[in-house]
Amino acid sequence: MDDELKLQAFESRIGAGETIEPKDWMPEGYRRQLIRMISQHAHSEIVGMLPEGNWITRAPSLRRKMILLAKVQDEAGHGLYLYSAAETLGVERQELTEQLLSGKAKYSSIFNYPTLSWADMGTIGWFVDGAAIVNQTMLAKCSYGPYARANLRICKEESFHKKQGYEIITALAGGTPEQKMMAQDAVNRWWKPSLMMFGPGDKDSPNSAELMKWKIKLKGNEELRQRFIDLTVPQAQAVGLTLPDPELRYNNETGHWNYGELDWKEFFEVISGRGPYNRERLKARKEARRNGEWVRIAAEAYAEKRRMLA
Ligand code: FAQ
């Protein structure tokens, strides 16, 4: 079959809602888009361990410390399933790691902001994991089997993460005036960056049309952002916290919350490597890579020895 016929057969399988598996024929553009997206997602999970990892030694109780440790470890696991999903497309994990460390690869904008107080742990679980769930329940139904299955498992764990975050915030918001103020301050700092996690508005999203044609994405960035806002506003009201947007208003006609303009200039600065904490995040990943060198050497020597004995 020539490529034109293969493409038609591929697109009719997508149209019929079939799942594409690693050994199936796929157009190069589909493979390229998936490698880009899955690897950015994997890097986000790995870099995403840093802001919360920063608070493990300072958690306010042993219970909170154990929960935070487990959460950060889950994020590492997500990174590993996602790198494995990317490898099914014929790319080496080593190559992806190098792209991250050289600053060539993108990872989620949200992880380039600092975590300044314990309330940030609650807010990250509530907003960042909450946003990730809205985005990834869609991706769990995407057309590429290994990525869909990875997201299914990730979403189950993220939903626990979100609950633990909201629980921290509920405790702080119902605590002393200082604790409530700390929760409000974290909400003020994380709200808009969390909304920008969904990516630019649809007209400034060059990848969306192709991703939606191939059912990698089933919904546009704007629709998902709106869904997240609609879900989160009542949660903020329930704990008596204010979302930092004077234009936030329920629209009876559309049944959605209207919201104010986001700072897209800031977003593009952050994803170009010039956000508040980009430099620190890459520095930490490079150090981790260097510190783990002896483990990689030992693992390779062990594998080599087993090969010789086999
Ligand atoms: N950050 O054309 P679009 C998590 C880039 S995991 C950085 O709209 P697309 C778990 C985009 O790559 C969070 N860059 O792009 C956790 C593109 O640049 P390129 C990560 C962004 O792909 C929780 C350009 O802008 N989740 O949080 C961002 O159609 C707590 C134009 O944009 C995923 O990666 C951004 N926010 O839509 C861990 C999910 N937005 O590549 C620890 C998978 C856009 O052409 C603690 N990815 N860009 O040079 C996706 O769903 C999509 O890729 C979007 C972007 C929605 C992120």
Side-chain angles (χ1 to χ4, degrees):
M1 252 204 282
D2 69 19
D3 278 3
E4 196 44 49
L5 286 175
K6 284 183 188 160
L7 180 63
Q8 273 176 23
F10 170 85
E11 289 189 337
S12 71
R13 285 186 65 195
I14 300 257
E18 279 183 44
T19 301
I20 306 299
E21 295 296 336
K23 289 190 177 147
D24 296 345
W25 185 89
M26 59 185 81
E28 267 323 294
Y30 181 81
R31 187 184 300 277
R32 223 182 14 254
Q33 279 287 16
L34 280 169
I35 293 175
R36 178 189 70 85
M37 219 169 119
I38 302 175
S39 63
Q40 286 179 5
H41 190 170
H43 299 325
S44 305
E45 301 280 357
I46 297 298
V47 177
M49 293 163 72
L50 296 168
E52 286 169 294
N54 180 37
W55 279 86
I56 290 171
T57 54
R58 287 178 284 166
S61 69
L62 184 58
R63 174 175 173 263
R64 295 287 187 204
K65 189 193 292 258
M66 282 163 59
I67 295 172
L68 187 60
L69 257 176
K71 178 186 192 295
V72 172
Q73 183 174 304
D74 284 351
E75 308 300 357
H78 300 172
L80 299 185
Y81 325 143
L82 290 164
Y83 284 126
S84 297
E87 283 181 311
T88 65
L89 293 155
V91 64
E92 295 274 332
R93 188 178 306 202
Q94 169 88 10
E95 188 185 333
L96 300 178
T97 303
E98 275 156 22
Q99 288 171 4
L100 171 67
L101 298 181
S102 68
K104 193 171 152 221
K106 289 195 172 71
Y107 57 86
S108 184
S109 49
I110 194 71
F111 301 117
N112 293 305
Y113 293 85
T115 41
L116 304 180
S117 78
W118 173 251
D120 289 22
M121 299 305 97
T123 313
I124 289 179
W126 176 24
F127 289 171
V128 177
D129 288 271
I133 293 169
V134 168
N135 171 254
Q136 290 158 26
T137 41
M138 164 193 79
L139 295 173
K141 296 189 201 111
C142 80
S143 60
Y144 188 57
Y147 192 36
R149 290 188 288 274
N151 275 299
L152 201 62
R153 177 157 174 191
I154 290 173
C155 283
K156 292 200 171 130
E157 293 176 351
E158 300 291 30
S159 119
F160 165 74
H161 297 167
K162 189 205 153 179
K163 285 183 192 144
Q164 70 82 38
Y166 191 58
E167 198 235 327
I168 293 177
I169 285 297
T170 306
L172 292 174
T176 63
E178 289 78 9
Q179 286 172 325
K180 183 162 186 187
M181 227 157 66
M182 187 164 77
Q184 184 63 59
D185 170 64
V187 163
N188 292 349
R189 284 182 288 108
W190 288 93
W191 176 244
K192 289 198 172 171
S194 300
L195 298 186
M196 292 195 277
M197 277 178 76
F198 292 94
D202 297 337
K203 68 177 184 352
D204 297 313
S205 165
N207 297 294
S208 281
E210 192 168 59
L211 293 173
M212 286 167 84
K213 175 178 79 169
W214 285 328
K215 295 193 181 165
I216 296 175
K217 267 180 170 178
L218 304 177
K219 291 178 178 148
N221 300 351
E222 212 50 79
E223 186 179 345
L224 292 177
R225 184 170 14 255
Q226 185 68 61
R227 173 158 175 71
F228 171 73
I229 294 171
D230 292 345
L231 286 170
T232 312
V233 173
Q235 294 163 2
Q237 288 170 335
V239 290
L241 295 173
T242 313
L243 296 170
D245 180 355
E247 292 176 49
L248 202 58
R249 194 155 290 119
Y250 190 71
N251 183 328
N252 279 315
E253 276 168 36
T254 61
H256 296 295
W257 285 85
N258 291 349
Y259 60 96
E261 191 56 40
L262 297 169
D263 187 349
W264 292 109
K265 190 164 168 283
E266 174 180 313
F267 171 81
F268 285 110
E269 281 291 295
V270 172
I271 70 168
S272 309
R274 293 185 293 274
Y277 255 55
N278 294 60
R279 198 194 286 256
E280 283 76 2
R281 299 302 182 222
L282 274 193
K283 183 165 167 275
R285 288 312 313 154
K286 284 183 189 160
E287 259 170 44
R289 181 87 185 152
R290 258 196 315 278
N291 293 339
E293 182 68 26
W294 68 272
V295 179
R296 286 192 299 281
I297 292 171
E300 274 161 26
Y302 179 72
E304 179 62 27
K305 185 153 189 191
R306 283 184 66 106
R307 268 196 298 275
M308 279 163 59
L309 292 175

